[in-house]
Amino acid sequence: MKHASHLILFALIATFGTAHAQFAKPLPKNHSEETSTEAKYNVGVIGGVSATRWLHTDGVHRPYEQPYFLFDPNAPVTSLLDHGLAGIVVERKLGTNNSIGIEAFYANRSTMLDYDYELPDAIGHSQMYHRKDSIVYSEVCIQIPLNQYFGSGNIKPYVFIAPRFTLPIAGNMHWTLQTLAADSTSTNTTLDTATVAMTRNNMRAWNIGAVVGAGVRFKVPINSYYLLLKLDASCHVGVFNTYSEKEIAGETNPASVIGASHIDPTLLGKRHIGNATVKLTVLFPLKKMGKGACVNWGEYD
């Protein structure tokens, strides 16, 4: 009996030692455990620049010359502000490598339309004319991007698509009409010039469009916290014709209506607006921090 008790005691000690050794080993980390350390919600700020393009189709629209980006090297800050945008974003993680967000931003838009055309003058001779439209305005935009990330680690490329709602809120169109000089010894003659406020008389009140883009997300560890930086480029095209109802109806008050003031409304065609945007987003995860951590304001997750 004494020998049996010794054997049982020895077996218990051996079993305890084996179990202790097993539990002393670090548990294996799997992918889901690693990704669970990331917050479900992020909030952040957006800043960037965009190039605006007015796209004319159908009708008898003029063959416009239109720069992709108006930049004056003598006034670089003003030029960038005329194309700048800023806003806020909330993003929710859906899975390991995808998320959905809502972005709201204020954007400045700027572009220019130049074209030459020929008409007979009062005595029937051919006369060349030049018209230049300088357009500066602003709008509020709301878009809902669906993001798909690739890979793992602190640097992830991604693509996204989004619907965008746009609301023009202020701006003006300044146009100048000149007769072109017949030769190099003479100069152009300005016939008319005016600045027209952008209102519902000459611009659709709201629009919906589609956005597609790609970028790179950087995860920046900061002690027990981290930041996310997203740099991306995207293109947007509005769905609806932006000529106003008054322009399409043919109201010809040049003080408020641009399109119909210089072209037959039945031949007006359509005008869509597109943008190319480069933006930087800084995201702050709403994540529960460990006790005693330097950053503890975000205990939401």
Side-chain angles (χ1 to χ4, degrees):
M1 186 70 179
K2 184 176 181 181
H3 291 292
S5 62
H6 287 170
L7 289 174
I8 293 172
L9 180 60
F10 177 78
L12 289 174
I13 293 173
T15 303
F16 175 79
T18 303
H20 177 75
Q22 290 295 324
F23 282 104
K25 292 181 180 179
L27 294 175
K29 291 185 178 180
N30 57 42
H31 192 63
S32 62
E33 288 176 329
E34 291 177 352
T35 57
S36 67
T37 62
E38 294 187 353
K40 289 183 180 179
Y41 289 92
N42 305 306
V43 298
V45 293
I46 300 169
V49 294
S50 65
T52 298
R53 192 129 183 118
W54 285 21
L55 310 170
H56 295 80
T57 60
D58 303 332
V60 291
H61 61 278
R62 306 295 184 183
Y64 297 106
E65 294 290 335
Q66 187 175 181
Y68 285 96
F69 191 82
L70 292 174
F71 183 76
D72 183 359
N74 296 319
V77 175
T78 301
S79 295
L80 291 177
L81 290 177
D82 284 343
H83 297 275
L85 60 91
I88 57 176
V89 57
V90 177
E91 184 176 310
R92 186 188 190 282
K93 184 178 178 182
L94 297 178
T96 302
N97 274 324
N98 45 61
S99 67
I100 189 169
I102 180 167
E103 300 175 352
F105 54 91
Y106 175 93
N108 288 328
R109 308 299 190 193
S110 181
T111 190
M112 183 181 294
L113 306 177
D114 275 288
Y115 60 91
D116 298 335
Y117 61 97
E118 185 177 0
L119 288 175
D121 60 18
I123 59 176
H125 294 160
S126 178
Q127 176 63 56
M128 292 296 298
Y129 295 88
H130 174 73
R131 176 165 173 142
K132 180 172 71 173
D133 295 354
S134 299
I135 303 155
V136 178
Y137 64 104
S138 57
E139 60 186 13
V140 172
C141 304
I142 298 175
Q143 64 186 34
I144 304 175
L146 181 62
N147 307 291
Q148 178 63 53
Y149 298 95
F150 302 96
S152 60
N154 290 342
I155 301 177
K156 288 186 177 183
Y158 66 96
V159 295
F160 65 94
I161 57 174
R164 178 187 292 180
F165 173 81
T166 57
L167 180 69
I169 55 176
N172 61 69
M173 309 178 191
H174 179 80
W175 55 271
T176 302
L177 179 64
Q178 297 177 318
T179 57
L180 290 181
D183 52 54
S184 59
T185 61
S186 55
T187 59
N188 295 349
T189 301
T190 300
L191 300 177
D192 198 5
T193 183
T195 298
V196 178
M198 184 178 289
T199 67
R200 294 188 179 185
N201 292 327
N202 47 47
M203 177 61 69
R204 181 183 173 88
W206 59 272
N207 213 329
I208 295 175
V211 181
V212 60
V216 180
R217 192 195 77 174
F218 302 89
K219 184 177 181 180
V220 183
I222 304 176
N223 296 326
S224 58
Y225 191 63
Y226 66 92
L227 296 178
L228 297 175
L229 303 180
K230 297 174 65 175
L231 179 64
D232 59 57
S234 62
C235 291
H236 157 263
V237 177
V239 173
F240 298 118
N241 177 17
T242 60
Y243 281 126
S244 69
E245 293 181 358
K246 288 188 175 183
E247 289 177 299
I248 296 172
E251 297 187 21
T252 56
N253 178 9
S256 62
V257 179
I258 293 295
S261 68
H262 64 90
I263 191 171
D264 182 345
T266 62
L267 303 174
L268 199 59
K270 296 179 180 179
R271 180 184 65 195
H272 296 272
I273 295 179
N275 310 106
T277 301
V278 175
K279 71 181 191 298
L280 175 67
T281 303
V282 182
L283 292 174
F284 303 90
L286 298 181
K287 182 172 177 58
K288 182 184 292 184
M289 307 306 298
K291 297 302 180 181
C294 295
V295 181
N296 56 12
W297 55 267
E299 296 187 358
Y300 294 95
D301 195 11

Short mmCIF file of all heavy atoms in Angstrom, two decimals, residues 165-191:
data_model
loop_
_atom_site.label_atom_id
_atom_site.label_comp_id
_atom_site.label_asym_id
_atom_site.label_seq_id
_atom_site.Cartn_x
_atom_site.Cartn_y
_atom_site.Cartn_z
N PHE A 165 -22.81 63.13 -53.01
CA PHE A 165 -23.84 64.17 -53.12
C PHE A 165 -23.14 65.52 -53.07
O PHE A 165 -22.33 65.77 -52.18
CB PHE A 165 -24.84 64.04 -51.97
CG PHE A 165 -25.84 65.17 -51.90
CD1 PHE A 165 -26.95 65.17 -52.72
CD2 PHE A 165 -25.63 66.23 -51.03
CE1 PHE A 165 -27.87 66.22 -52.67
CE2 PHE A 165 -26.54 67.29 -50.97
CZ PHE A 165 -27.67 67.28 -51.79
N THR A 166 -23.44 66.40 -54.04
CA THR A 166 -22.79 67.72 -54.09
C THR A 166 -23.86 68.82 -54.06
O THR A 166 -24.92 68.70 -54.67
CB THR A 166 -21.93 67.89 -55.35
OG1 THR A 166 -22.73 67.69 -56.51
CG2 THR A 166 -20.80 66.88 -55.35
N LEU A 167 -23.52 69.91 -53.37
CA LEU A 167 -24.42 71.05 -53.23
C LEU A 167 -23.62 72.33 -53.46
O LEU A 167 -22.90 72.79 -52.56
CB LEU A 167 -25.05 71.05 -51.83
CG LEU A 167 -26.02 72.19 -51.52
CD1 LEU A 167 -27.29 72.03 -52.34
CD2 LEU A 167 -26.35 72.21 -50.03
N PRO A 168 -23.68 72.94 -54.67
CA PRO A 168 -22.99 74.22 -54.89
C PRO A 168 -23.59 75.29 -53.98
O PRO A 168 -24.82 75.38 -53.83
CB PRO A 168 -23.29 74.52 -56.36
CG PRO A 168 -23.65 73.20 -56.96
CD PRO A 168 -24.34 72.44 -55.88
N ILE A 169 -22.72 76.10 -53.36
CA ILE A 169 -23.24 77.06 -52.38
C ILE A 169 -22.87 78.51 -52.71
O ILE A 169 -23.54 79.43 -52.24
CB ILE A 169 -22.77 76.73 -50.96
CG1 ILE A 169 -21.25 76.64 -50.89
CG2 ILE A 169 -23.39 75.44 -50.47
CD1 ILE A 169 -20.71 76.40 -49.49
N ALA A 170 -21.84 78.76 -53.49
CA ALA A 170 -21.45 80.14 -53.79
C ALA A 170 -20.45 80.15 -54.93
O ALA A 170 -19.77 79.15 -55.18
CB ALA A 170 -20.84 80.82 -52.55
N GLY A 171 -20.35 81.28 -55.61
CA GLY A 171 -19.35 81.41 -56.66
C GLY A 171 -19.79 82.38 -57.73
O GLY A 171 -20.84 83.02 -57.64
N ASN A 172 -18.95 82.54 -58.74
CA ASN A 172 -19.29 83.41 -59.86
C ASN A 172 -18.61 82.95 -61.13
O ASN A 172 -17.64 82.17 -61.09
CB ASN A 172 -18.91 84.87 -59.54
CG ASN A 172 -17.43 85.04 -59.31
OD1 ASN A 172 -16.62 84.91 -60.22
ND2 ASN A 172 -17.05 85.34 -58.07
N MET A 173 -19.16 83.40 -62.24
CA MET A 173 -18.60 83.15 -63.56
C MET A 173 -18.29 84.51 -64.19
O MET A 173 -19.18 85.34 -64.35
CB MET A 173 -19.60 82.40 -64.44
CG MET A 173 -20.18 81.15 -63.81
SD MET A 173 -21.40 80.36 -64.92
CE MET A 173 -22.14 79.16 -63.81
N HIS A 174 -17.03 84.72 -64.49
CA HIS A 174 -16.62 85.97 -65.13
C HIS A 174 -16.28 85.67 -66.59
O HIS A 174 -15.46 84.82 -66.88
CB HIS A 174 -15.39 86.55 -64.43
CG HIS A 174 -14.91 87.82 -65.05
ND1 HIS A 174 -15.50 89.04 -64.79
CD2 HIS A 174 -13.90 88.06 -65.94
CE1 HIS A 174 -14.87 89.98 -65.48
NE2 HIS A 174 -13.91 89.40 -66.18
N TRP A 175 -16.96 86.35 -67.51
CA TRP A 175 -16.70 86.08 -68.93
C TRP A 175 -16.31 87.35 -69.67
O TRP A 175 -16.73 88.46 -69.33
CB TRP A 175 -17.89 85.40 -69.60
CG TRP A 175 -19.22 86.10 -69.50
CD1 TRP A 175 -20.15 85.95 -68.52
CD2 TRP A 175 -19.75 87.05 -70.43
NE1 TRP A 175 -21.24 86.73 -68.77
CE2 TRP A 175 -21.03 87.41 -69.95
CE3 TRP A 175 -19.29 87.61 -71.63
CZ2 TRP A 175 -21.84 88.34 -70.60
CZ3 TRP A 175 -20.09 88.52 -72.28
CH2 TRP A 175 -21.36 88.87 -71.77
N THR A 176 -15.49 87.16 -70.68
CA THR A 176 -15.00 88.26 -71.52
C THR A 176 -15.17 87.87 -72.97
O THR A 176 -14.82 86.75 -73.36
CB THR A 176 -13.52 88.56 -71.24
OG1 THR A 176 -13.35 88.88 -69.85
CG2 THR A 176 -13.02 89.72 -72.09
N LEU A 177 -15.70 88.79 -73.77
CA LEU A 177 -15.87 88.56 -75.21
C LEU A 177 -15.02 89.58 -75.98
O LEU A 177 -15.12 90.78 -75.73
CB LEU A 177 -17.34 88.69 -75.61
CG LEU A 177 -17.66 88.50 -77.09
CD1 LEU A 177 -17.33 87.06 -77.52
CD2 LEU A 177 -19.13 88.82 -77.37
N GLN A 178 -14.18 89.07 -76.88
CA GLN A 178 -13.29 89.93 -77.66
C GLN A 178 -13.38 89.58 -79.14
O GLN A 178 -13.71 88.45 -79.52
CB GLN A 178 -11.84 89.76 -77.22
CG GLN A 178 -11.55 90.16 -75.79
CD GLN A 178 -10.09 89.89 -75.43
OE1 GLN A 178 -9.54 88.86 -75.79
NE2 GLN A 178 -9.46 90.83 -74.72
N THR A 179 -13.06 90.60 -79.99
CA THR A 179 -12.80 90.30 -81.40
C THR A 179 -11.31 90.04 -81.53
O THR A 179 -10.49 90.74 -80.94
CB THR A 179 -13.20 91.48 -82.30
OG1 THR A 179 -12.49 92.65 -81.89
CG2 THR A 179 -14.70 91.75 -82.22
N LEU A 180 -10.96 89.00 -82.26
CA LEU A 180 -9.56 88.65 -82.43
C LEU A 180 -8.90 89.59 -83.43
O LEU A 180 -9.48 89.95 -84.46
CB LEU A 180 -9.42 87.21 -82.89
CG LEU A 180 -9.78 86.13 -81.86
CD1 LEU A 180 -9.57 84.76 -82.45
CD2 LEU A 180 -8.93 86.30 -80.60
N ALA A 181 -7.67 89.97 -83.14
CA ALA A 181 -6.91 90.84 -84.04
C ALA A 181 -6.67 90.13 -85.36
O ALA A 181 -6.44 88.92 -85.42
CB ALA A 181 -5.59 91.20 -83.39
N ALA A 182 -6.77 90.90 -86.43
CA ALA A 182 -6.59 90.32 -87.78
C ALA A 182 -5.15 89.93 -88.04
O ALA A 182 -4.88 89.00 -88.80
CB ALA A 182 -7.06 91.32 -88.83
N ASP A 183 -4.19 90.63 -87.42
CA ASP A 183 -2.78 90.31 -87.63
C ASP A 183 -1.99 90.71 -86.39
O ASP A 183 -2.54 91.25 -85.43
CB ASP A 183 -2.25 91.02 -88.88
CG ASP A 183 -2.53 92.51 -88.89
OD1 ASP A 183 -2.17 93.19 -87.89
OD2 ASP A 183 -3.16 93.01 -89.85
N SER A 184 -0.69 90.49 -86.44
CA SER A 184 0.16 90.74 -85.28
C SER A 184 0.38 92.22 -85.00
O SER A 184 0.88 92.58 -83.94
CB SER A 184 1.52 90.06 -85.48
OG SER A 184 2.14 90.54 -86.66
N THR A 185 0.02 93.07 -85.95
CA THR A 185 0.22 94.51 -85.75
C THR A 185 -0.92 95.16 -84.98
O THR A 185 -0.81 96.31 -84.58
CB THR A 185 0.37 95.21 -87.10
OG1 THR A 185 -0.84 95.03 -87.87
CG2 THR A 185 1.56 94.65 -87.87
N SER A 186 -2.02 94.42 -84.79
CA SER A 186 -3.17 94.98 -84.08
C SER A 186 -3.44 94.15 -82.82
O SER A 186 -2.82 93.11 -82.60
CB SER A 186 -4.40 95.01 -84.98
OG SER A 186 -4.67 93.72 -85.51
N THR A 187 -4.36 94.61 -82.01
CA THR A 187 -4.67 93.93 -80.75
C THR A 187 -6.15 93.52 -80.71
O THR A 187 -6.97 94.03 -81.49
CB THR A 187 -4.38 94.85 -79.56
OG1 THR A 187 -5.17 96.05 -79.69
CG2 THR A 187 -2.91 95.22 -79.51
N ASN A 188 -6.43 92.59 -79.79
CA ASN A 188 -7.82 92.18 -79.60
C ASN A 188 -8.64 93.34 -79.04
O ASN A 188 -8.13 94.17 -78.27
CB ASN A 188 -7.91 91.00 -78.64
CG ASN A 188 -7.24 89.76 -79.19
OD1 ASN A 188 -6.89 89.71 -80.37
ND2 ASN A 188 -7.07 88.75 -78.35
N THR A 189 -9.89 93.40 -79.41
CA THR A 189 -10.79 94.44 -78.91
C THR A 189 -11.84 93.80 -78.01
O THR A 189 -12.54 92.89 -78.43
CB THR A 189 -11.48 95.16 -80.07
OG1 THR A 189 -10.50 95.75 -80.93
CG2 THR A 189 -12.41 96.25 -79.54
N THR A 190 -11.93 94.28 -76.77
CA THR A 190 -12.92 93.74 -75.84
C THR A 190 -14.28 94.35 -76.14
O THR A 190 -14.46 95.56 -76.13
CB THR A 190 -12.52 94.05 -74.40
OG1 THR A 190 -11.25 93.43 -74.11
CG2 THR A 190 -13.56 93.51 -73.42
N LEU A 191 -15.24 93.47 -76.42
CA LEU A 191 -16.59 93.92 -76.71
C LEU A 191 -17.48 93.95 -75.48
O LEU A 191 -18.32 94.82 -75.34
CB LEU A 191 -17.23 92.98 -77.76
CG LEU A 191 -16.52 92.90 -79.11
CD1 LEU A 191 -17.24 91.88 -80.00
CD2 LEU A 191 -16.47 94.26 -79.79
#
